[in-house]
Amino acid sequence: MMGHCDGVVAVYLPILTHVGNSSNNISYIQRYLELSKGDPRTLPYPKNENDGKGKIEGVAGKNSEGKEVEMEEDEKYLKSLDPVEWKDQDHYRVLGLHKYRHTASINDIKSAFKKLVMKHHPDKRNLSNDEKKNDHYPCITIANDILGDPKRRRAYDSVDPEFDDSIPKVKNVNPDNFLATFAPVFERNARWSVKEPVPLLGDDQTSYDDLMHFYKFWLNLDSWREFSYLDEEEKERGTDRDERRYIDKLNKAERQKRKNAETVRIRQLVDAAMSCDVRIKKKRQEEVQKKQEERDKKRKEVLRRVEMEKEEEERKRRE
């Protein structure tokens, strides 16, 4: 039977609030506060030479298997493109690297571009001047310009239309399938992290301290994802310095708005996972049980002392 997760935590930093009034969730709130402030029992963040500099490997790394890619040209798609609408085109698909996307290396991009030039350059097809005006070849050069430049590629990868931004809905999560549901989501979002290695969700054998480290890392994720590719206006189109400054100001404001939304999305992912994590619930139940056992032990000890005192009083009375 399909179940759902309870005890959902809503995060609005710097304030953390809890939805629900169950006293059983108090330890859960405390754990969450510990994560946001920095629980001394968790492991420190792993160091990385690129910390604070943006994720270089994510911009121009090896393909997913470390092997030479097989280019898959989509000529029909190429011929449907309009260079004027270059921002809307799928640059990886243009170069025949659709199934590799951000995992394609810079050499893969250069190789794919060279092959397309040999086939699609106007001079290779003997196009007339009129035919060149409406030709798709500029779309190939644009794709190469963007994916061949680390900064511009990072901007495009940040808004890759093929990336799945979705987060599992808590009410639809079966507790028995928690790991299978959330592990792939964290794995695909790990690409945005500046810090490496990125801790993953683990399994049923993951220690509680490692689990807390995992959630702390993701709650404070340092993401290189940015949204300059979606700028509606290009600063260079300004007619004078004041207009260019105004366009730049608008663009930066819109980028920050999207960055804030991305931060909220990641925290919602952490929130949903923590509220559904059966390992946290198990730990919470163990803590409740342990406290109950301690209370029972104290109660028995008190009763034992009272009984001993009564026996002592009875003995003295008889004497």
Side-chain angles (χ1 to χ4, degrees), residues 62-283:
K62 295 180 180 179
N63 63 66
S64 58
E65 298 179 352
K67 301 177 181 178
E68 184 178 353
V69 302
E70 296 180 2
M71 179 183 167
E72 296 181 354
E73 181 184 347
D74 189 341
E75 190 167 340
K76 183 177 180 181
Y77 176 71
L78 271 176
K79 292 182 178 179
S80 71
L81 297 175
D82 180 354
V84 176
E85 304 296 333
W86 62 270
K87 268 199 172 184
D88 296 330
Q89 73 181 33
D90 184 337
H91 302 303
Y92 288 109
R93 190 175 178 184
V94 169
L95 296 184
L97 300 172
H98 179 266
K99 68 179 182 180
Y100 299 100
R101 311 199 72 77
H102 76 285
T103 65
S105 71
I106 196 67
N107 288 332
D108 296 331
I109 293 170
K110 291 179 179 179
S111 177
F113 176 63
K114 183 177 180 180
K115 291 177 182 178
L116 289 172
V117 169
M118 296 298 292
K119 180 177 179 180
H120 292 276
H121 194 283
D123 292 343
K124 296 287 183 180
R125 293 178 287 144
N126 298 318
L127 299 183
S128 65
N129 289 333
D130 288 338
E131 289 175 323
K132 289 179 181 180
K133 292 179 181 179
N134 300 312
D135 189 50
H136 61 271
Y137 180 74
C139 296
I140 297 174
T141 61
I142 290 172
N144 180 67
D145 288 344
I146 290 176
L147 299 183
D149 179 276
K151 185 176 180 180
R152 298 180 73 186
R153 184 180 181 185
R154 181 172 64 181
Y156 179 68
D157 283 344
S158 293
V159 297
D160 187 342
E162 293 288 311
F163 182 76
D164 183 2
D165 278 314
S166 67
I167 296 172
K169 293 185 180 298
V170 172
K171 65 180 181 180
N172 297 332
V173 176
N174 184 338
D176 294 335
N177 296 327
F178 164 74
L179 292 173
T181 300
F182 279 93
V185 183
F186 281 104
E187 287 175 11
R188 69 170 177 259
N189 281 281
R191 63 185 280 191
W192 307 126
S193 179
V194 171
K195 296 183 176 70
E196 291 185 334
V198 181
L200 298 179
L201 193 54
D203 53 32
D204 292 333
Q205 304 304 316
T206 300
S207 71
Y208 189 68
D209 282 349
D210 286 347
L211 191 58
M212 290 297 99
H213 164 61
F214 167 81
Y215 282 118
K216 178 184 176 182
F217 183 98
W218 281 92
L219 181 63
N220 299 283
L221 182 69
D222 185 6
S223 172
W224 58 261
R225 197 177 192 185
E226 54 101 346
F227 300 91
S228 60
Y229 188 84
L230 299 178
D231 289 349
E232 294 186 7
E233 298 289 342
E234 294 184 29
K235 183 173 67 174
E236 291 73 15
R237 292 185 177 181
T239 56
D240 54 41
R241 184 174 63 178
D242 289 339
E243 184 176 1
R244 287 192 292 272
R245 284 180 176 176
Y246 178 71
I247 293 174
D248 189 44
K249 182 179 179 180
L250 292 179
N251 287 338
K252 287 181 178 179
E254 192 61 30
R255 291 177 203 169
Q256 189 59 51
K257 185 186 298 184
R258 292 190 172 102
K259 185 71 173 180
N260 292 342
E262 170 66 2
T263 299
V264 170
R265 186 185 72 85
I266 293 296
R267 287 172 182 163
Q268 287 174 340
L269 170 59
V270 176
D271 180 13
M274 287 194 75
S275 65
C276 293
D277 197 327
V278 293
R279 297 166 299 178
I280 290 181
K281 292 182 179 181
K282 180 181 178 181
K283 181 68 174 180

Side-chain angles (χ1 to χ4, degrees), residues 284-296:
R284 192 167 70 222
Q285 290 170 353
E286 290 175 351
E287 289 179 346
V288 171
Q289 183 178 353
K290 183 178 180 181
K291 289 180 180 180
Q292 184 61 48
E293 290 174 351
E294 290 175 350
R295 286 195 294 268
D296 291 342

Side-chain angles (χ1 to χ4, degrees), residues 17-80:
T17 59
H18 183 261
V19 179
N21 299 315
S22 174
S23 59
N24 292 333
N25 288 319
I26 293 178
S27 61
Y28 178 47
I29 299 172
Q30 291 173 339
R31 291 298 187 204
Y32 213 98
L33 289 171
E34 286 172 351
L35 289 176
S36 65
K37 295 176 182 178
D39 188 344
R41 293 172 298 173
T42 60
L43 300 174
Y45 286 144
K47 297 296 182 180
N48 181 275
E49 61 182 1
N50 291 325
D51 282 2
K53 301 178 183 178
K55 186 177 180 182
I56 304 302
E57 184 178 352
V59 176
K62 295 180 180 179
N63 63 66
S64 58
E65 298 179 352
K67 301 177 181 178
E68 184 178 353
V69 302
E70 296 180 2
M71 179 183 167
E72 296 181 354
E73 181 184 347
D74 189 341
E75 190 167 340
K76 183 177 180 181
Y77 176 71
L78 271 176
K79 292 182 178 179
S80 71

